[in-house]
Amino acid sequence: PMHRIARVAMSSAPLHDAPSRGRMSDAKRALVARARGAFDAVAGRRRRVNVASGGDERGTTTREDARASDGDDANGYRRPPDALTQFTERPQSPNVTVSPDRRRLLYLHKPPPLPDVATLAREEVKLAGVRIDAAQNSTSRMGHQTKLAIGAMPAREEEIGAAEDFVGTPENALINYVSWSPDGTKIAFTTRSSGEPGEPERGPLTLWIADAHTRQCRVLLPNRGLNTIFESYSWLNDDVIVACCIPENRPKEAPKRPQTPFGPRIQTNRGGNVAQARTYADLLKDSHDADLFDYYCSSELVAVDVSTGATKTWGDGKARIYTRCDPSPDGKYAIVEAIHRPYSYSVPCGRFPKKVWVADSDGKVVREVADLPLAENVPIVHNATRKGPRAVNWRSDKSASLYWTEAQDEGDPRVEVSPRDVTYTVDVGKDPAATPKTLFQTDYRYGGVAWGGDDMSILYESWYKTRTSRVWVTSPGDADPNATKRMLWERDYEDSYNAPGSFATRRTEDGSYILARVVGPTPLGEGKPTGPGVKLLLQGDGANPEGDRPFIDLFDVDTGAKHRMWESKPPYLEHPGSLISDYGGPEAAPVTLETMRILFSRESPSENSQFFSLQMTADGSPGKEVKISNFPHPHPDLKELPKEIIKYKRDDGVELNGTLYTPPGYDAARDGPLPLLMWAYPREFKTKEAASQLRDSPYRFTGIGPSSALVWLARGYAVLDGPALPIIGEGEGVEPNDTYVEQLVAGARAAVNEVVARGVADPERIAVGGHSYGAFMAANLLAHAPDLFACAIARSGAYNRTLTPFGFQAEERTLWEAPETYNAMSPFMNAHKIKKPILLIHGEEDQNSGTHLMQSERFFSALKGNGAEVKLVILPHESHGYRAKESINHMLAETSDWLDAHCAPGAKKAAEARAEEAAKAKRDAEEMVSK
């Protein structure tokens, strides 16, 4: 398919010659040589100079070419300097899943990370917030795997990666939706064609099955294409899959839009109904869109025997817009959900009317759960929810027990009511028509249940306004579980330093997951399978002032006592994962300290994450480790990248932190200050204490993705990545955004002062950048702190908050409730204050709520109209995040030019000269007009 090239628009003062190169000290030349040597070794060539220090390296389009093409796309996509292309071309390591019996590893091999732009250019049908690939009858822009392989769980290092490929799949097929059967003997997946020359035409996905032991694959539904827009398939049990298929009697052609419209499009709001909504993209526009939504999204449910391939209609055979088919743990029932009319032109399909019911193993309806109406009037505040039954699920500790929750405040958290939520249950296996039993009542918003049995489960609730969470231990089997529940803790969920962690789960014999009870001797006394003495496992991040140290704690449910069994130790960052000694269920495979095996990952700044199995010992201490993966380093010649978590204070005493990276071999005392890029994203907090906490580790692996700010280390820049820029609203009724600008500037100033004081950053050559809300931040900093930064890079941002009038980010108030805040926070309203250069980059097809392309287009016009130096780059076919290789390369090339032009030695003087010349030209023009 044809695709467009990047559109570029630019406004600036008359261009002078490039700034003088300036003279570098011998020490700085040595640093540049070391940095370039380290990075260019990967790129396959060496460069003589460092652009950030005044060199002349460019991408494939010269600066003269770039000047000639301002406002045009005639020169096409560009490539960045070679030192940057290495990050767009690296191979990917496979995904790995553990078999249900914990004895084998399934390897899902992946293609190169970035598709070409022609893939993104394929036609999309945009309906009700969903983007559809019409040829595949799937969501558009799907990723995929290239092949499947399976091997034994390594017992020693030489067995790592030993795996055999599956056989029988179509050559070059694209693989998706891979899943194990509950018993682990079979693997289901889908295939599709890329449509490349020499390959079959693109079409709907096809369902396949593989024998996990022989690795032989065969197609399951050769004559039925899947409809995977909302649901693909579900394992009903070990032998039967229920698949969402394109209706057999569906017309071959989708409904055509009539050349002459039936009439005007009309929307009404009667009776003073208050229906507020965020600025959603891709909504239905008219009745034809509604017909298209029906056409592409309707499915028929088909049951297929995976052994014989025999098929039968599941349910009544009617085509509906099925969005869920979720089997019960025993495989005898399934929760089914389907969207139906009337649709909305104001909200996406997740708010459309929806029926929820329970069907038996043949698809026959045995219980109607809910028929939810259109939800256009869900309040925009936090903790708001839809009216009626929600979170309809199966209890994982029961064969077929249904539960759901209903808001007692009509879904509006501003309504004072107690209880706020009530959770109900019905044992469908005993009596599908039984009257619901009340399980729980919560005064905060219900947050879920970790099921462990009738004698003990864990209930969660939380409240945004106070940032409070509550965790209860409850006995669902009691006559009145709500009356006997006991609070384990109530805490500020923004307080990372005191977070107790989350309860670990274990696999049951039917493949569901329940709380992992530790039985037998433990350091906290005998662990009992039930009743008093139950011991659970807590896993957490272990945030602390020195950096994260993830942990596993043994927890006594009765006393609240804890025993630390395992903790990440420097110089590594380790994360606990799943139990892998739990196959067979609690009775056949009880969790004891002596038999416990845990999967965990380990990384360091120079070593990418690898997986290990850990055998615990009888006394609860870590025992033998076995490495089970050996993924290659993504950039092996760049292992040693200097990094440091730096700490500093805002002028009001709030403690802040960020991660400072410098090029390989850099020494501040010897080499002097560097140009620096500060890449950030603000966050809202309720308290100064929470805002001041460190949520990172000095031992985290330094991985560099193609869109990461760290790529600029390859160009000799220092990078301050993720500096904390908290926006705090402390106290009753205090809204963080009422002082957004002041707090943002204070945080940025503290960060800049710190890197300058360390001698790392040249104060005249600091750039600021960010993506989405980070782009909004960067534009605001140029408007309100022009002395701090030489230029800015803003990707996919929103700049005019009057275009998002019903809230944005964490802001709950509307434009009409807080007009001063909306205006003060909008860079668009302060465009006349922006005098430093800003590069705007935006995906042409951005579907993120609030960041429509119009935001960058109008901001560019405002800046241009006020004489700012600005460049707008629109990437065709890209959404909120950029995916195509051509797009990423072009983004890097544009950003490289921008940083080099405005952060090179002498750039400040050149910018001042350009500004003076522009001002003089304006004065001359005004004089001519007056004459």
Side-chain angles (χ1 to χ4, degrees), residues 229-479:
I229 292 173
F230 292 116
E231 182 69 284
S232 54
Y233 66 87
S234 300
W235 286 95
L236 190 63
N237 52 52
D238 293 325
D239 301 309
V240 177
I241 284 175
V242 176
C244 273
C245 296
I246 295 171
E248 280 192 303
N249 62 351
R250 189 179 79 171
K252 290 186 177 180
E253 297 292 330
K256 301 293 184 183
R257 181 177 293 278
Q259 285 189 324
T260 303
F262 294 118
R265 287 186 282 163
I266 299 173
Q267 299 185 53
T268 62
N269 188 54
R270 295 190 177 97
N273 177 51
V274 177
Q276 301 173 348
R278 297 285 176 112
T279 49
Y280 299 112
D282 303 334
L283 300 177
L284 298 181
K285 297 184 291 296
D286 52 29
S287 60
H288 176 70
D289 276 359
D291 291 342
L292 286 176
F293 186 73
D294 285 338
Y295 177 84
Y296 285 112
C297 298
S298 295
S299 304
E300 291 173 350
L301 297 180
V302 175
V304 55
D305 186 301
V306 297
S307 298
T308 66
T311 64
K312 65 177 181 179
T313 298
W314 197 79
D316 61 10
K318 291 183 179 180
R320 296 181 178 88
I321 301 180
Y322 294 103
T323 58
R324 183 184 180 196
C325 180
D326 184 9
S328 59
D330 65 3
K332 296 180 179 179
Y333 300 92
I335 298 169
V336 185
E337 296 182 359
I339 288 172
H340 63 81
R341 292 182 182 241
Y343 302 147
S344 170
Y345 299 156
S346 302
V347 293
C349 59
R351 301 274 194 92
F352 287 2
K354 178 174 64 173
K355 288 193 70 173
V356 185
W357 67 93
V358 175
D360 64 17
S361 58
D362 292 320
K364 179 184 176 182
V365 177
V366 297
R367 184 182 184 93
E368 299 277 359
V369 179
D371 191 353
L372 301 173
L374 180 65
E376 286 187 324
N377 58 350
V378 177
I380 62 172
V381 296
H382 292 87
N383 290 131
T385 189
R386 192 171 189 162
K387 299 176 184 178
R390 72 179 195 276
V392 182
N393 287 300
W394 298 111
R395 283 183 57 170
S396 59
D397 60 342
K398 292 284 187 177
S399 297
S401 283
L402 191 72
Y403 72 102
W404 68 90
T405 298
E406 296 185 34
Q408 307 302 296
D409 56 9
E410 298 294 301
D412 188 344
R414 296 167 297 191
V415 175
E416 293 295 334
V417 64
S418 179
R420 190 168 295 279
D421 275 335
V422 176
T423 300
Y424 303 93
T425 187
V426 168
D427 191 332
V428 175
K430 290 183 178 179
D431 180 7
T435 301
K437 171 188 174 182
T438 298
L439 272 181
F440 316 120
Q441 297 178 2
T442 60
D443 285 333
Y444 292 163
R445 189 62 79 206
Y446 164 82
V449 181
W451 296 102
D454 275 341
D455 65 318
M456 189 199 66
S457 294
I458 304 295
L459 171 66
Y460 299 89
E461 60 176 316
S462 65
W463 197 245
Y464 176 79
K465 278 293 186 184
T466 58
R467 311 301 199 272
T468 303
S469 66
R470 291 172 175 170
V471 177
W472 306 79
V473 60
T474 179
S475 299
D478 288 355

Side-chain angles (χ1 to χ4, degrees), residues 122 133-139 142 174 176-177 190-196 199-207 224-228 246 250:
R122 290 171 179 153
D133 185 319
Q136 293 181 168
N137 219 105
S138 68
T139 54
M142 296 174 64
L174 311 184
N176 292 94
Y177 300 113
T190 65
T191 66
R192 57 192 171 98
S193 172
S194 66
E196 299 291 334
E199 299 295 331
E201 289 186 5
R202 299 174 67 247
L205 283 68
T206 303
L207 183 62
R224 297 298 299 268
L226 299 186
N227 184 341
T228 60
I246 295 171
R250 189 179 79 171

